Amino acid sequence: MTQADAALSLAMWSGTDRPAAAAFPYEQVVLALLATGKHRADPGVVEALRSARARLTDVRGPQRQRARLARWLDIALDKSDGCYDYQSYLGLGVLPVFDLVHPPATAAAALRHHDRVLALLLSDLCRFEVSAAARQTHVLPRLRPGIDRVRKRCRFALAAARPGLGRLGLADQIYAEDPITAASQLVYVMDLLTNTDDHLILRLTMLPVDTYHDEYLFLRVLQCFELLFSLLVVDVQDVISSLFAGRARLASSRLDAATGVLQEAQALWPLIATMQPAAFAHFRQNTEGASAIQSRAYKLLESLCARPAEDRLSSVAYLSVPDVRAKIVAGQASLDEAFRATRDRFGAASVAELHQAMERFAVTILRWRRSHLGIATRMLGTDESGTGNTSGLPYLATEKDRQVFRTSP
Ligand code: HEM
């Protein structure tokens, strides 16, 4: 029924003289895709989505809505188009991570955006966990976790959201001792703050490949990290600009702020560790071709810290992100170089402060890599391989100690 409903709604929308972007039947299509998983999308729905895409040039409505519809149709059709990858798996084209070309004007605005979107993503995860535990949803029914695992998951999701909620002035509204009740409080609080556009974005960015419960967690946590990486890119870009503008103190404090948010994000690891390895092993069979090695934000961040060594730049690590690689080859400035180029202009105290801030940032990045290797080992078990054309665990083990900055002043 769900599949037929979606195909019919799409056919009606496409059959309109000038279809409106705002009238696109997102809800029905998402429900149909959730029912099968994107990997086994119903051929009738796929065909109807293709016909809808063919009407894009006739679509009316604000440019923002039309552009989003176009991007989302490519995301929904990625598997059948043969261009499924990490960006489309996570729905990055419609997820409100930072626009790196037009970043927020101030550090405070950037942090606020990060905190709000993080709270939205984690509250949506809590909503799913709470409603599945109460048997109020049929979405992703396979391998439902037991109640103890749900309780743990909610507790870790709340812990990851809490620093940002504190800055947003919302932390005291989530006070229940029982994690499941507290998770419901988070959902309630965020519902009061969200608008229809936020809800739509949450809907559009949850397109699992399969129907295992834990894929919801996996996707949301990956999205939280992408949001983090994009914030850190904005931060490090600003640190570099501050140095060239002769403002060393500002650069140090901005870098320390970035380190702080990166430290807070460590709380996402215990959360993803509640994923059942058996569920991961199942849905992973259909994520071939999508690996976080294709994360542009992660590689941008890495290369903004220091220009990658030639062996790394010519390896699959950067060949998987050709546009980032092209920027580096074209001479993208890094913090490492900016520090060396400008340090003679600053006093000894400012240089020492900056150097210490760089060290703290590097230590936290190395910790991120260790935690990542830990979770990958736990989830992959004896299967060492990755989905990104690397040796998998051996690749991560080698890369985890690579220097973040090359400078040792
Ligand atoms: C939970 C299970 C996870 C497993 C089993 C896993 C496994 C792997 C493996 C094997 C690689 C090597 C590339 C490849 O062949 O795919 C990789 C790369 C990567 N993963 Fe994960 N990962 C997991 C979770 C995450 C999460 C939650 C993030 C957060 C965004 C993440 C971010 C990355 C990044 C950025 C890379 C590229 C690292 C580089 O190129 O140096 N991974 N992962």
Side-chain angles (χ1 to χ4, degrees), residues 86 218 221-222 225-226 229 269 272 275 280 284 290-295 298-299 302 312 317 368 372 375-377 379-380 384-393 395-396 399:
Y86 179 74
F218 185 59
V221 172
L222 284 171
F225 274 119
E226 277 298 317
F229 299 152
W269 293 115
I272 189 94
M275 183 163 70
F280 180 65
R284 184 168 179 266
S291 161
I293 202 164
Q294 298 154 349
S295 167
Y298 181 86
K299 292 287 158 53
E302 180 182 293
R312 179 123 170 110
W368 186 96
H372 174 243
I375 198 74
T377 307
M379 292 300 156
L380 291 175
E384 293 193 334
S385 65
T387 48
N389 289 324
T390 69
S391 56
L393 295 180
Y395 166 79
L396 295 180
E399 290 302 329

Coordinates of all heavy atoms in Angstrom, one line a residue, residues 86 218 221-222 225-226 229 269 272 275 280 284 290-295 298-299 302 312 317 368 372 375-377 379-380 384-393 395-396 399, ligand 1:
Y86 N 29.0 8.4 0.0 CA 28.9 8.9 1.4 C 28.0 10.2 1.4 O 27.2 10.3 2.3 CB 30.3 9.1 1.9 CG 30.4 9.7 3.3 CD1 30.1 8.8 4.4 CD2 30.7 11.0 3.6 CE1 30.2 9.3 5.7 CE2 30.9 11.5 4.9 CZ 30.6 10.6 5.9 OH 30.7 11.1 7.2
F218 N 23.2 5.0 13.3 CA 24.4 5.1 12.6 C 24.4 6.4 11.7 O 25.3 7.2 11.7 CB 24.6 3.9 11.7 CG 25.9 3.8 10.9 CD1 27.1 3.8 11.6 CD2 25.9 3.7 9.5 CE1 28.3 3.8 10.9 CE2 27.1 3.7 8.8 CZ 28.3 3.7 9.5
V221 N 24.5 9.7 13.8 CA 25.8 10.0 14.5 C 26.8 10.4 13.4 O 27.5 11.4 13.6 CB 26.3 8.8 15.3 CG1 27.8 9.0 15.7 CG2 25.4 8.5 16.5
L222 N 26.8 9.8 12.2 CA 27.6 10.3 11.1 C 27.3 11.7 10.8 O 28.2 12.5 10.6 CB 27.4 9.4 9.9 CG 28.1 8.0 9.9 CD1 27.6 7.2 8.7 CD2 29.6 8.1 9.9
F225 N 28.8 14.1 13.3 CA 30.2 14.3 13.0 C 30.5 15.2 11.8 O 31.4 16.0 11.8 CB 30.9 13.0 12.9 CG 31.3 12.4 14.2 CD1 30.9 11.1 14.6 CD2 32.2 13.0 15.0 CE1 31.3 10.5 15.8 CE2 32.6 12.4 16.3 CZ 32.1 11.2 16.6
E226 N 29.7 15.0 10.8 CA 29.8 15.9 9.6 C 29.6 17.4 10.0 O 30.3 18.3 9.5 CB 28.9 15.5 8.5 CG 29.4 14.3 7.6 CD 30.7 14.6 6.9 OE1 30.8 15.7 6.3 OE2 31.6 13.7 6.9
F229 N 32.7 18.5 11.8 CA 33.8 18.7 10.9 C 33.6 20.1 10.1 O 34.5 20.8 9.9 CB 34.0 17.6 9.8 CG 34.3 16.3 10.4 CD1 33.9 15.1 9.7 CD2 34.9 16.1 11.6 CE1 34.1 13.8 10.1 CE2 35.2 14.8 12.1 CZ 34.8 13.7 11.4
W269 N 31.1 8.9 20.7 CA 31.6 7.6 20.5 C 30.9 6.5 21.4 O 30.5 5.5 20.8 CB 33.1 7.5 20.7 CG 33.9 8.3 19.6 CD1 34.6 9.4 19.8 CD2 33.9 8.0 18.2 NE1 35.1 9.8 18.6 CE2 34.7 9.0 17.6 CE3 33.3 7.0 17.4 CZ2 34.9 9.0 16.2 CZ3 33.6 7.0 16.1 CH2 34.4 8.0 15.5
I272 N 27.6 5.7 19.6 CA 27.6 4.8 18.4 C 28.1 3.4 18.9 O 27.7 2.4 18.2 CB 28.5 5.4 17.3 CG1 28.4 4.6 16.0 CG2 30.0 5.4 17.7 CD1 27.4 5.1 15.1
M275 N 25.6 0.6 19.0 CA 25.1 -0.1 17.8 C 25.4 -1.6 17.9 O 26.5 -2.0 18.4 CB 25.8 0.5 16.6 CG 25.3 0.0 15.3 SD 25.8 1.0 13.9 CE 27.5 0.7 13.8
F280 N 24.9 -3.9 12.2 CA 25.8 -3.2 11.4 C 26.3 -4.2 10.2 O 26.3 -3.8 9.1 CB 27.0 -2.7 12.2 CG 28.1 -2.0 11.4 CD1 27.8 -0.8 10.8 CD2 29.3 -2.5 11.2 CE1 28.7 -0.1 10.0 CE2 30.3 -1.9 10.5 CZ 30.0 -0.7 9.9
R284 N 25.5 -3.1 6.4 CA 26.7 -2.7 5.8 C 26.9 -3.4 4.4 O 27.6 -2.9 3.5 CB 27.9 -3.1 6.7 CG 29.2 -2.7 6.2 CD 30.2 -2.9 7.4 NE 31.5 -2.6 6.9 CZ 32.4 -3.5 6.4 NH1 32.1 -4.7 6.4 NH2 33.5 -3.0 6.0
A290 N 29.9 3.6 -0.2 CA 29.8 4.8 0.7 C 30.7 4.7 1.8 O 30.4 3.8 2.7 CB 28.3 5.0 1.1
S291 N 31.8 5.4 1.8 CA 32.7 5.3 3.0 C 33.0 6.7 3.4 O 33.1 7.7 2.6 CB 34.0 4.6 2.6 OG 35.1 5.0 3.5
A292 N 33.2 6.9 4.7 CA 33.6 8.2 5.2 C 34.9 8.7 4.7 O 35.3 9.9 4.9 CB 33.5 8.2 6.7
I293 N 35.6 7.8 4.0 CA 36.9 8.3 3.4 C 36.5 9.4 2.3 O 37.4 10.2 2.0 CB 37.7 7.1 2.7 CG1 39.1 7.5 2.6 CG2 37.1 6.7 1.4 CD1 40.1 6.3 2.3
Q294 N 35.3 9.4 1.9 CA 34.8 10.4 1.0 C 34.3 11.7 1.6 O 33.8 12.6 1.0 CB 33.7 9.8 0.1 CG 34.0 8.6 -0.7 CD 32.8 7.7 -1.0 OE1 31.7 7.9 -0.4 NE2 33.0 6.8 -1.9
S295 N 34.5 11.8 3.0 CA 34.1 13.0 3.7 C 34.9 14.2 3.3 O 36.1 14.2 3.6 CB 34.1 12.8 5.2 OG 34.0 14.1 5.8
Y298 N 36.0 16.3 6.4 CA 37.1 15.8 7.2 C 38.4 16.0 6.5 O 39.4 16.4 7.2 CB 36.9 14.2 7.4 CG 38.0 13.6 8.2 CD1 37.9 13.5 9.6 CD2 39.1 13.0 7.6 CE1 38.9 12.9 10.3 CE2 40.1 12.4 8.3 CZ 40.0 12.3 9.7 OH 41.0 11.7 10.4
K299 N 38.5 15.8 5.2 CA 39.8 16.0 4.5 C 40.1 17.5 4.4 O 41.3 17.9 4.4 CB 39.7 15.4 3.1 CG 39.6 13.8 3.2 CD 40.9 13.2 3.6 CE 40.8 11.8 4.1 NZ 40.1 10.8 3.4
E302 N 41.6 18.3 7.7 CA 43.0 17.8 7.8 C 43.9 18.6 7.0 O 45.0 19.0 7.5 CB 43.0 16.3 7.3 CG 44.3 15.7 7.3 CD 44.3 14.2 6.7 OE1 43.6 13.4 7.3 OE2 44.9 14.0 5.7
R312 N 50.3 10.8 1.0 CA 48.9 10.8 1.4 C 48.1 11.5 0.3 O 47.0 11.0 0.0 CB 48.8 11.5 2.8 CG 47.3 11.6 3.3 CD 47.2 11.0 4.6 NE 45.8 11.3 5.2 CZ 44.9 10.4 5.4 NH1 45.1 9.2 5.0 NH2 43.7 10.8 5.9
A317 N 43.1 8.2 0.1 CA 42.6 9.1 1.1 C 42.1 10.4 0.4 O 41.0 11.0 0.7 CB 43.6 9.4 2.1
W368 N 40.5 11.6 18.6 CA 39.4 11.3 17.8 C 39.8 10.1 16.9 O 39.0 9.1 16.8 CB 39.0 12.5 16.9 CG 37.8 12.3 16.0 CD1 36.5 12.7 16.3 CD2 37.7 11.5 14.8 NE1 35.7 12.2 15.4 CE2 36.3 11.5 14.4 CE3 38.6 10.9 14.0 CZ2 35.9 10.9 13.3 CZ3 38.1 10.2 12.8 CH2 36.8 10.3 12.5
H372 N 38.0 6.4 16.9 CA 37.4 5.9 15.6 C 37.9 4.5 15.3 O 37.2 3.6 15.0 CB 37.8 6.9 14.5 CG 37.3 6.4 13.1 ND1 38.3 6.1 12.2 CD2 36.1 6.1 12.6 CE1 37.6 5.7 11.1 NE2 36.3 5.7 11.3
I375 N 36.2 2.0 17.6 CA 34.8 1.7 17.3 C 34.8 0.8 16.0 O 34.0 -0.2 15.9 CB 33.9 2.9 17.1 CG1 32.4 2.6 17.2 CG2 34.1 3.6 15.8 CD1 32.0 2.2 18.5
A376 N 35.7 1.1 15.1 CA 35.8 0.4 13.8 C 36.2 -1.1 14.1 O 35.6 -2.0 13.6 CB 36.7 1.0 12.8
T377 N 37.1 -1.2 15.0 CA 37.6 -2.6 15.4 C 36.4 -3.3 16.1 O 36.2 -4.5 15.7 CB 38.7 -2.5 16.4 OG1 39.7 -1.6 15.8 CG2 39.3 -3.8 16.7
M379 N 33.2 -2.9 15.7 CA 32.1 -3.2 14.8 C 32.5 -4.2 13.7 O 31.6 -4.9 13.2 CB 31.5 -1.9 14.1 CG 30.9 -1.0 15.1 SD 29.5 -1.8 15.9 CE 29.3 -0.8 17.4
L380 N 33.7 -4.1 13.3 CA 34.1 -5.0 12.1 C 34.6 -6.4 12.6 O 34.5 -7.3 11.8 CB 35.2 -4.3 11.3 CG 34.8 -3.1 10.5 CD1 36.0 -2.5 9.9 CD2 33.8 -3.5 9.5
E384 N 38.3 -7.1 8.5 CA 39.1 -5.9 8.6 C 38.8 -4.9 7.5 O 39.3 -3.7 7.6 CB 40.6 -6.2 8.6 CG 41.1 -7.0 9.7 CD 42.6 -7.0 9.8 OE1 43.2 -6.9 8.7 OE2 43.2 -7.2 10.8
S385 N 38.1 -5.3 6.5 CA 38.1 -4.4 5.3 C 37.1 -3.3 5.5 O 36.2 -3.3 6.3 CB 37.7 -5.3 4.1 OG 36.4 -5.7 4.3
G386 N 37.3 -2.2 4.7 CA 36.4 -1.1 4.7 C 35.6 -1.0 3.5 O 35.6 -2.0 2.7
T387 N 34.8 0.0 3.4 CA 34.0 0.2 2.1 C 34.6 1.2 1.2 O 34.0 1.6 0.2 CB 32.5 0.6 2.5 OG1 32.6 1.7 3.4 CG2 31.8 -0.6 3.1
G388 N 35.8 1.7 1.5 CA 36.3 2.8 0.8 C 37.6 2.4 0.0 O 38.5 3.3 -0.1
N389 N 37.7 1.2 -0.4 CA 38.9 0.7 -1.2 C 40.2 0.9 -0.4 O 41.2 1.2 -1.0 CB 39.0 1.5 -2.5 CG 37.9 1.1 -3.4 OD1 37.6 0.0 -3.5 ND2 37.4 2.1 -4.2
T390 N 40.2 0.7 0.9 CA 41.4 0.6 1.7 C 41.5 -0.8 2.3 O 40.6 -1.6 2.1 CB 41.4 1.6 2.8 OG1 40.5 1.2 3.8 CG2 41.1 3.0 2.4
S391 N 42.6 -1.0 3.0 CA 42.8 -2.3 3.7 C 41.9 -2.3 4.9 O 41.8 -3.3 5.7 CB 44.2 -2.5 4.1 OG 44.7 -1.4 4.9
G392 N 41.2 -1.2 5.2 CA 40.3 -1.1 6.4 C 41.0 -0.8 7.7 O 41.7 0.2 7.8
L393 N 40.9 -1.7 8.6 CA 41.6 -1.5 10.0 C 43.1 -1.2 9.9 O 43.6 -0.3 10.5 CB 41.3 -2.7 10.9 CG 39.8 -2.8 11.3 CD1 39.6 -4.0 12.2 CD2 39.2 -1.6 11.9
Y395 N 44.7 0.2 7.5 CA 44.8 1.6 7.0 C 44.6 2.6 8.2 O 45.4 3.5 8.4 CB 43.7 1.8 5.9 CG 43.5 3.3 5.6 CD1 44.4 4.0 4.7 CD2 42.4 4.0 6.0 CE1 44.2 5.3 4.4 CE2 42.2 5.3 5.7 CZ 43.1 6.0 4.9 OH 42.9 7.3 4.5
L396 N 43.5 2.4 9.0 CA 43.2 3.3 10.1 C 44.3 3.2 11.1 O 44.7 4.3 11.7 CB 41.9 2.9 10.7 CG 40.6 3.1 9.8 CD1 39.4 2.7 10.6 CD2 40.5 4.5 9.3
E399 N 47.3 5.3 9.8 CA 47.0 6.7 9.7 C 46.8 7.4 11.0 O 46.9 8.6 11.1 CB 45.8 6.9 8.8 CG 46.0 6.6 7.3 CD 47.2 7.4 6.7 OE1 47.4 8.6 7.1 OE2 47.9 6.8 5.9
Ligands
HEM1 C1 30.8 2.5 13.5 C2 31.5 1.9 12.7 C3 32.6 2.4 11.8 C4 33.4 1.6 11.1 C5 33.4 0.1 11.1 C6 34.3 2.4 10.4 C7 35.3 2.0 9.6 C8 36.1 2.7 8.8 C9 37.1 2.2 7.9 C10 37.5 0.7 7.7 C11 37.7 3.3 7.3 C12 38.8 3.2 6.2 C13 38.3 3.6 4.9 C14 37.5 2.6 4.2 O1 38.0 1.6 3.7 O2 36.2 2.7 4.3 C15 37.1 4.5 7.8 C16 37.4 5.7 7.4 C17 36.9 6.8 8.0 N1 35.8 6.9 8.9 FE1 35.0 5.3 9.8 N2 34.1 3.7 10.6 C18 33.0 3.8 11.5 C19 32.4 4.9 12.0 C20 32.7 6.2 11.7 C21 32.1 7.4 12.2 C22 30.9 7.4 13.2 C23 32.7 8.4 11.6 C24 32.4 9.9 11.8 C25 32.2 10.6 10.7 C26 33.7 7.9 10.7 C27 34.6 8.7 9.9 C28 35.6 8.2 9.1 C29 36.5 9.0 8.4 C30 36.5 10.6 8.3 C31 37.3 8.2 7.6 C32 38.4 8.6 6.7 C33 39.7 8.5 7.5 C34 40.9 8.7 6.6 O3 40.8 8.7 5.3 O4 42.0 8.9 7.1 N3 33.7 6.6 10.8 N4 36.2 4.1 8.7

